[in-house]
């Protein structure tokens, strides 16, 4: 479970918060020039569309952890496992 928050006012009231739950898939990305490109090419080759993505947790060794919101999270999980890029 990842909880993130964004607001447009510096001190929001409880009524100004909007909560929603969306599945994301976590992946390891090599922390080097072109590392993200390698993962994006795998996702594109699998025909998976990315709605959004962001980096989380900083780095683990020489790999960054990225969260991907995609149209087919189950398929992305399989693709990442096949290439040993899944975060579990």
């Amino acid at each position: 479970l990842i909880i993130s928050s964004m607001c447009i006012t510096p001190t929001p009231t409880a009524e100004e918060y909007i909560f929603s739950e969306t599945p994301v898939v976590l992946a390891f990305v090599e922390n080097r020039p072109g590392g993200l490109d390698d993962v994006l090419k795998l996702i594109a080759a699998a025909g998976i569309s990315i709605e959004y993505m962001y980096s989380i947790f900083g780095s683990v060794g020489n790999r960054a952890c990225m969260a991907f919101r995609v149209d087919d999270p189950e398929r992305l999980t399989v693709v990442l496992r096949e290439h040993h890029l899944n975060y579990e």
Side-chain angles (χ1 to χ4, degrees), residues 5-85:
S5 173
M6 290 184 254
C7 62
I8 58 172
T9 59
T11 54
T13 64
E15 295 79 27
E16 292 177 300
Y17 283 101
I18 298 172
F19 296 95
S20 65
E21 184 176 320
T22 56
V24 294
V25 179
L26 303 182
F28 281 120
V29 177
E30 291 294 321
N31 193 5
R32 60 169 174 75
L36 179 58
D37 185 54
D38 293 343
V39 176
L40 295 177
K41 285 178 181 173
L42 291 173
I43 294 171
I48 300 169
S49 295
I50 299 171
E51 184 176 328
Y52 59 83
M53 64 182 187
Y54 52 90
S55 178
I56 58 174
F57 305 141
S59 295
V60 177
N62 68 336
R63 301 188 303 175
C65 188
M66 300 286 296
F68 291 88
R69 167 78 168 132
V70 297
D71 66 342
D72 191 346
E74 294 81 16
R75 175 75 181 124
L76 179 55
T77 300
V78 169
V79 169
L80 294 173
R81 281 184 184 145
E82 288 172 353
H83 293 88
H84 308 288
L85 298 171

